[in-house]
Amino acid sequence: MKTIKQALKSANDGKNQDIKSKFVAQHVFANVNSLVEYCLKNEDPNSPINFDMIENYWFYPEFNGHFVKFDGGSEDKKQEEIERAESLLELGDAEFTAEDQALIQDELQCLKDLESEPSEIFEWWLISDYLFDKLRDKGYPIIDFSNGYLWGRTTTGQAILLDGIISHICAEMGILEGQENAWL
Amino acid sequence: MKTLTTDSFEIAYETYLHNIGKLILFDYKFVWSEMGFRYIVKYRL
């Protein structure tokens, strides 16, 4: 049986493209670009969709220090790393030299000072609740509004099944070729 | 003009090779670790 990592290496092979195509057909319903952009642009207070409803729209860039390492992402993920770095500082002289402690302190401050950036959304798609949950967990821009679930896609011009996130989700479900739940 | 923004280098490079005479831009940017790189290919239709 292929692991997730092994399956991802061949995620765009012919059979896997067929599998991902079926997945996309089940979970991605329609392009609603013009509808969503119209709502977002007009800032009508009665609009069913507005910018404040976009989850994961703002994200923090990565920070790679010697002790403090942040892969980028949401406020929660940044906070996790801040707490980890603070726990390193609490170890104090027992684990770190004075120089190292100063370095951790500097890096921690840099991490705290990181400013968030907006996602670059090219397309809006109406999607299933299942795909919505997966995208939300992985920090992709989404909107939960009264009539459905929307995905703010950050790629464009290629088939949705070729998006890395679709491959990741399918590999985690174990449905790619050679995996335990392979859709063949 | 056609724009392709992809998270796959292979797809970007293949598009680049197919449109080399019409190419306007072949570039990439880092989005953030979980999303990784985005490759951008712009070419005349």
Side-chain angles (χ1 to χ4, degrees):
Chain A
M1 287 293 162
K2 282 185 180 173
T3 62
I4 292 175
K5 211 172 175 183
Q6 288 166 337
L8 280 173
K9 278 188 185 165
S10 55
N12 286 330
D13 286 359
K15 266 194 176 164
N16 282 332
Q17 286 204 24
D18 290 343
I19 292 170
K20 291 193 296 174
S21 173
K22 276 185 210 163
F23 176 85
V24 169
Q26 281 183 19
H27 295 283
V28 180
F29 305 141
N31 182 295
V32 286
N33 237 11
S34 49
L35 286 173
V36 177
E37 283 184 3
Y38 179 85
C39 291
L40 295 178
K41 262 184 205 154
N42 285 279
E43 295 178 6
D44 177 346
N46 296 319
S47 168
I49 297 165
N50 60 56
F51 266 106
D52 296 338
M53 292 167 72
I54 307 177
E55 285 180 54
N56 302 326
Y57 180 61
W58 293 90
F59 63 89
Y60 291 93
E62 67 166 356
F63 175 78
N64 264 318
H66 187 70
F67 292 101
V68 179
K69 291 184 193 302
F70 174 54
D71 287 340
S74 65
E75 178 73 45
D76 289 349
K77 285 190 176 174
K78 183 179 143 186
Q79 199 53 42
E80 274 175 31
E81 182 58 13
I82 288 173
E83 283 167 19
R84 194 191 68 84
E86 283 171 345
S87 69
L88 290 181
L89 277 178
E90 281 168 17
L91 295 172
D93 297 339
E95 289 286 332
F96 299 105
T97 64
E99 277 178 12
D100 283 349
Q101 289 180 54
L103 184 57
I104 295 171
Q105 189 68 58
D106 285 349
E107 290 181 356
L108 182 59
Q109 196 53 50
C110 289
L111 181 62
K112 285 180 178 172
D113 291 344
L114 276 184
E115 287 188 10
S116 58
E117 298 171 5
S119 297
E120 200 171 357
I121 297 169
F122 296 106
E123 298 172 0
W124 286 101
W125 290 87
L126 194 63
I127 56 170
S128 69
D129 56 343
Y130 179 83
L131 181 57
F132 176 85
D133 289 341
K134 294 282 178 190
L135 293 170
R136 173 190 259 164
D137 289 349
K138 292 187 178 297
Y140 280 71
I142 37 111
I143 295 177
D144 177 0
F145 78 114
S146 52
N147 296 318
Y149 302 102
L150 300 171
W151 168 29
R153 191 178 175 220
T154 51
T155 59
T156 185
Q158 68 174 353
I160 293 175
L161 68 92
L162 296 173
D163 280 14
I165 183 62
I166 298 295
S167 302
H168 271 92
I169 292 170
C170 291
E172 282 172 12
M173 290 167 74
I175 61 170
L176 296 180
E177 191 185 15
Q179 290 193 284
E180 52 188 354
N181 308 315
W183 284 4
L184 294 173
Chain B
M1 191 179 72
K2 174 107 174 145
T3 300
L4 174 118
T5 303
T6 173
D7 49 8
S8 159
F9 174 77
E10 285 75 17
I11 292 166
Y13 192 59
E14 199 177 305
T15 310
Y16 159 76
L17 289 178
H18 277 93
N19 296 285
I20 212 157
K22 300 182 282 179
L23 196 75
I24 293 166
L25 175 78
F26 182 79
D27 198 6
Y28 68 87
K29 61 181 177 182
F30 189 77
V31 187
W32 62 278
S33 66
E34 201 142 354
M35 291 187 187
F37 284 98
R38 286 287 177 277
Y39 303 91
I40 304 140
V41 187
K42 288 185 181 175
Y43 53 95
R44 285 186 297 280
L45 277 175

